[in-house]
Amino acid sequence: MKFNGEVYVIGGVHEDLWFDTVESYNLVRNQWVTRPPLNRKRGSLAGISLNEKIYAIGGGDGVECFSEVEMFDLDVGRWIPSRTKMLDKRFAAAVAEINGMVYVVGGYDGKDYLKSVEGFDPREYSFSRRESMSTRRGCLSLAVLNEKFIS
């Protein structure tokens, strides 16, 4: 994801090793910078930048799928756990923003792939159910074109 002109890499997994690390890459300086770590190790999370903040959403650690959201505020300089969780646990979900709302789509809850969609309002710090997709999906991509989702 891009934030403040840099590309961020958040968490992840390699073989059986899960990461809480966060790094950013500055294209102009051709330089990687280590950033404050997440509050827990996790991979296959969804990430999005909005309103000068980065949100790390869901993911898992190979044993458990998560519904937590963390927010990175550059002014604070650390990841802050959100006061609210998603309605569903989501591993390998997709995320996109339309008109200031963050939408989390699909993923895997530890038992099944999901077709559900949740909307997150960062002003209210609350999730709400939205119209579901017609098909269950995980490891998907999501884009916005003319204020509509394309997956």
Side-chain angles (χ1 to χ4, degrees), residues 30-97:
N30 189 29
Q31 178 182 15
W32 284 97
V33 176
T34 300
R35 300 294 180 180
L38 296 165
N39 289 308
R40 73 158 56 180
K41 295 178 180 184
R42 57 182 165 158
S44 294
L45 62 147
I48 192 165
S49 63
L50 178 67
N51 300 330
E52 304 297 315
K53 294 172 179 52
I54 298 174
Y55 295 89
I57 302 168
D61 63 4
V63 175
E64 183 180 359
C65 298
F66 304 138
S67 58
E68 291 89 3
V69 176
E70 296 182 49
M71 178 193 69
F72 181 73
D73 185 329
L74 203 53
D75 294 333
V76 175
R78 65 182 175 85
W79 289 89
I80 302 165
S82 176
R83 296 179 295 233
T84 188
K85 297 179 180 183
M86 288 184 291
L87 303 172
D88 294 315
K89 295 178 179 185
R90 293 179 188 270
F91 181 87
V95 66
E97 177 265 335

Side-chain angles (χ1 to χ4, degrees), residues 118-138:
E118 297 184 39
F120 174 67
D121 186 340
R123 297 164 295 231
E124 302 288 329
Y125 277 89
S126 63
F127 282 92
S128 59
R129 293 245 182 250
R130 303 298 176 154
E131 184 178 346
S132 292
M133 299 181 291
S134 58
T135 306
R136 298 174 186 270
R137 297 180 188 170

Side-chain angles (χ1 to χ4, degrees), residues 1-10 21-27 29-36 54 72 74:
M1 118 193 34
K2 186 177 174 188
F3 178 68
N4 274 0
E6 297 185 2
V7 177
Y8 276 69
V9 178
I10 303 170
T21 54
V22 179
E23 297 179 87
S24 68
Y25 180 70
N26 186 298
L27 298 162
R29 288 181 268 166
N30 189 29
Q31 178 182 15
W32 284 97
V33 176
T34 300
R35 300 294 180 180
I54 298 174
F72 181 73
L74 203 53

